[in-house]
Amino acid sequence: MNPHNPTVDHLSRRALLKGCVGTAAGGMVMNWGSLVSSAHAAEAASKKQKRCILLWMNGGASQFETFDMKVGRPAGGLFRPISTNVAGTQVCELLPNMAKLMDKLAVVRSMHTSQIDHPGGIHLMHTAYSEAANIRFPELGAVIAKYIGREQSALPQFIKIATNGHSGSGFLGPRFAPFNMGHDGNLPPFSKSYIDPQAENRRHELRDFMENHNARIHKVETARMHRESYAAARRLQNVLETFKIDSEWIKYGPLYGDSWFGRNCLLARRLIEADVPFVEVGHGSYDTHGDNFTGHKSLTAPMDQAWSALLNDLAERGLLENTLVVWMGEIGRTPQINNRAGRDHYVRAWSTALAGCGVRGGYVHGATDIDGHDVVSGEVTEGDFFATIYAALGIDPKKENFAGSRPVPLAPFGSKVVRELLV
Amino acid sequence: METFARHRVLLAITVVLLLFSAVPAWADPPLREAIDAQMTIVWEREKVAPAPAADDAAFLRRVWLDLCGIVPTHEVARQFLDDADPQKRAKLIDRLLDDPRYAQHQADIWDMVLFGRNPPGYDAPKRVGCQTWMRNSFAANMPYDQFVRHLLRAEGNTAEQGAPMYLVQYSRQPEDAAMAVSQTLLGVQLQCARCHDHPYEAWTQRDFYGMAAFFSRLSAVRNGQVNSLDKVYLAEMNTGEIKFVGPAKDAVPGKQGEPIKPKFLLGDAIEEPDLTAEFKDEKHPGDGKPPVPPKFSRKDKLADWVTAPTNPYFARAAVNRVWSQFMGRGLVHPVDNMSPSNPPSHPELLDVLAKEFVAQRFDMKKLIREICNSRAYQLASTGEVAEPFPQWFERARTRPLSAEELLESWRVATGHDEVTARSGKKVEGRFHGVTFDYLRQFFGEPTNGVGDFQGGLQEHLYLNNGELPRLLTAEEGSLLDAVITSTDPPESRIDRMFVSVLTRLPDPDERAKFVEFVMVKENTQERWREAVWVLMSCSEFRFNH
């Protein structure tokens, strides 16, 4: 695994873009004339583009009810472990479908992170950094959009569905801002133009004149960003169909499961297939301070089905080898079961999982002690986890951006790529 | 007893002296000249050439938006542009400082500073009482130290007096209150010290908890309603300590911390009357009863210390924030991080501003008047540089309009308010014409404290496909009606449209282009509507430059 820039892919993308021309309507069409010899190569390159789906377990799923069971110990809880398709590895019985895909999954049982509450944890596990008053850190999706996004794509490059996190693109600026879809997976209001296309073109042409006029006088970058975002909003009109899962739902509904999370996972697959480099899908709240066991039982059923269907679907389409699927929330849950049969927040030892895109399937990284209190081997911090995600995607985690004059590496200084997680 | 009497005499003399000594005039030279002198020194040192002065039209739009949060009407703009008086800029600044919109706009800005779009606490989303109080305070030009003292003493309730809402949002969250007060009002960031001693600054965790201790006895109490707003009071108990448990990374569940006494930043722990061992605090009043003031109020002590003229942080943080409001960036930037590791760009100027602000008894309007009259404020924003907030203030900043500024400026530009007035329809509240919730959603967040522009494609979806047509009716009183029904030549109608929306006349090529666009035989009205939409949605309108 080369964590540095995969030059081959990068060049291929350039070649692909060179072969595109803008249309009057602002959309992009392939200029096949100049690409006859490289069309096939470009398509292959497109499939090889790396991308990422983040399944966000809002509120913090319990490691004890998923991937790090402590049977017979005080932390144990109500559920039993089951065997998986990897000999010797067991998971909670709440994940029967994922148990059959264990060979595709790398589990980290040794997360040790630094923010124990939701707002801090949500920021941390979206950006790899703790909140700071004077730096606005970009989320994972914005970083991925910047480094492996398709510059001229008509689709937003950072899409969030039914999830949380408010850091957005931070200091990377509006160009990499998230496109936020509703909890029902519907497009946000005003996404679709209802103006007669001829009239729309007419006013666009006049507006363009004004913008060009202004651009000659005001060179300020924020005005330029405003113009770029306008162009992106118009291009979106050509690809709104991509956001509709209806045509596929009849076939795939039974696989993904008839839940909002299932529908949104199918939507994520459609978007990834259409070359969007990052889609985040939220689920939960897993914040089970009370009734942890009934809570997790009802939450994991649709989650397990949709997650496994997503991995199978991506694999069947040949997309899994270049699509990283990350499973995590902002925190883990306590080994202690409180007097409301709940588990509180815990970040000293908890679990996350990865699949696809060169991740070593069937591997369990790290371990916690017999009661799940502490990590005993293979500790992974938030920075290490992000560094590993970036490395899997071919992005150098040491790359720096500037927040004002301060250089900020993608993963915090000192973070290490967990090589064992990657093939 | 004798000492006491002597003190009284001294006090009386002091009061008399204070009453009869006029507030000193501005230092010589006036502050605006001191600003420009310091600017020039730094421009020469840094070898940057300042931009030329902004033309009248650019100044006009900028100062209206900065002081009143709206663009001027067509008539007002024309009058100013045609005025030959060499003093017209200074006169306009004076006029706008006395405009009711000044108070409204400053209240909007401070609402974002003190609460933000998503304030914590159950009560803070309904803070009309506080917003009204802020508006009245700015209208009366309440000295800034008094303004802050009201916020921190929190006397009365959130509905009638309003000011208590600031601390009510941090009810039972003493650590959050300490962070907010230090950062917002003193420009000092303590949040790192919440969990560990600050790695770069002087602050330790004990400093942090020392500040938090001032808020450790506060909680919100609801007692009755007025105008369907809950009257929330801030109750302060006689007992209740903040516990210090050591660095967060060493935290162990269940470990009790040691109580920490209230202590001013870089100061000593305050003297508190000792409570006898038998002392039992009053029962917490609970909702439905007005709270009883404590025997000794920690928060009042803090209010006095924060707002004292001798406080080393207070005036500096205030002038730095006001400076950034008008100049795009603070002399210390970001404004809420004034620390040795983040030095000011113009240290002498910051000293002068702070000193004069104190000498002028924290007079906000005076300070703002001097900044707006400076050459630096009135520079052009155009040029080759891409940075929206130039580091040496050698060019005016470019800042995005807030959701409030956008909506109310659109209404001024399109004549929507005039249409509404003529129709005799009653409108409720400030935000009508389009749905303000959408504007808040799509345009509300750039106010992140750093002033960065964060508008992505979703704001354009609103501009392109959203509710703007609602403001673009051709009813009597509207801009559209005026330009469509006018018998003037098309060129002057285009001029009218430009001045109404962009507060400037079109350049010749713009005039020609727009005349060509609207001068068609069919669908004329539609063409005019599209032309106004172009001016409302373009980047020139989106920013204050």
Side-chain angles (χ1 to χ4, degrees), chain A residues 174 190 202 207 211 213 219 221, chain B residues 383 386 455 465 507 530 537 539:
Chain A
F190 312 118
R202 188 170 65 211
R207 194 183 180 286
E211 289 296 348
H213 186 93
K219 309 276 186 192
E221 67 184 4
Chain B
N465 315 324
D507 289 345
E530 288 164 10
S537 73
S539 60

Side-chain angles (χ1 to χ4, degrees), chain B residues 295-310:
Chain B
K295 297 185 193 323
F296 176 84
S297 171
R298 288 181 172 184
K299 75 170 160 46
D300 290 0
K301 281 276 176 241
L302 183 73
D304 293 344
W305 175 78
V306 165
T307 58
T310 49

Side-chain angles (χ1 to χ4, degrees), chain A residues 133-146:
Chain A
N134 48 356
I135 297 188
R136 305 183 60 254
F137 296 101
E139 290 185 15
L140 180 64
V143 171
I144 289 172
K146 173 170 176 175

Side-chain angles (χ1 to χ4, degrees), chain A residues 132-134 136 156 169-170 173-174 177-180 188-195 199 202-203 205-207 209-211 213-214 216-223 225-227 229-230 232-234 236-237 348, chain B residues 183 189 191 334 337 381-386 388 398 438 442 448 453-462 464-466 498 502 504 507 509-510 513-514 517 527 530-531 533-535 537-540 542-543 545:
Chain A
N134 48 356
R136 305 183 60 254
S169 54
F179 185 69
N180 290 300
F190 312 118
S191 292
K192 189 170 167 36
S193 172
Y194 289 97
I195 301 169
R202 188 170 65 211
R203 76 175 195 185
E205 194 258 342
L206 186 68
R207 194 183 180 286
F209 169 85
M210 275 306 288
E211 289 296 348
H213 186 93
N214 192 29
R216 284 197 296 276
I217 302 164
H218 292 268
K219 309 276 186 192
V220 67
E221 67 184 4
T222 44
M225 292 170 179
H226 193 253
R227 287 188 277 275
S229 298
Y230 169 78
R234 287 189 86 235
L236 182 68
Q237 298 307 313
R348 292 171 74 94
Chain B
Q183 187 166 342
Q189 295 195 3
Q191 69 272 18
N337 187 20
S381 63
T382 50
E384 291 300 316
V385 190
T398 299
Y438 285 134
F442 297 125
N448 53 45
F453 175 61
Q454 288 290 318
L457 77 95
Q458 272 178 310
E459 79 167 54
H460 288 283
L461 294 176
Y462 180 82
N464 297 354
N465 315 324
F498 266 74
L502 296 180
R504 68 170 175 92
D507 289 345
D509 62 329
E510 289 173 318
K513 177 82 181 173
F514 275 75
F517 187 83
R527 290 291 180 107
E530 288 164 10
W533 174 85
V534 164
L535 299 189
S537 73
C538 68
S539 60
E540 187 176 345
R542 182 70 177 85
F543 297 95
H545 29 75

Side-chain angles (χ1 to χ4, degrees), chain A residues 6 21 26 59 94 173 229 253 369 396:
Chain A
V21 291
L94 297 180
S229 298
D369 61 38
D396 179 0

Side-chain angles (χ1 to χ4, degrees), chain A residues 34-83:
Chain A
S34 69
L35 258 184
V36 173
S37 56
S38 57
H40 183 73
E43 198 188 313
S46 163
K47 218 166 188 178
K48 271 179 68 184
Q49 278 295 342
K50 296 190 192 308
R51 27 203 131 188
C52 178
I53 296 175
L54 169 58
L55 304 178
W56 179 261
M57 301 299 111
N58 180 28
S62 165
Q63 63 276 27
F64 304 107
E65 276 69 53
T66 51
F67 292 109
D68 196 12
M69 300 207 74
K70 299 294 172 189
V71 182
R73 303 298 304 174
L78 300 184
F79 302 112
R80 292 171 306 170
I82 51 171
S83 296

Side-chain angles (χ1 to χ4, degrees), chain B residues 410-478:
Chain B
W410 279 332
R411 288 213 314 253
V412 170
T414 56
H416 186 268
D417 285 352
E418 182 64 27
V419 171
T420 313
R422 291 195 196 185
S423 74
K425 270 182 259 168
K426 282 267 292 181
V427 287
E428 298 226 349
R430 284 171 66 195
F431 304 122
H432 54 89
V434 296
T435 313
F436 189 64
D437 280 351
Y438 285 134
L439 294 183
R440 195 171 14 225
Q441 183 182 342
F442 297 125
F443 302 92
E445 297 300 334
T447 324
N448 53 45
V450 193
D452 296 335
F453 175 61
Q454 288 290 318
L457 77 95
Q458 272 178 310
E459 79 167 54
H460 288 283
L461 294 176
Y462 180 82
L463 293 170
N464 297 354
N465 315 324
E467 299 172 308
L468 292 193
R470 286 209 218 158
L471 300 174
L472 288 170
T473 59
E475 289 169 75
E476 207 179 318
S478 68

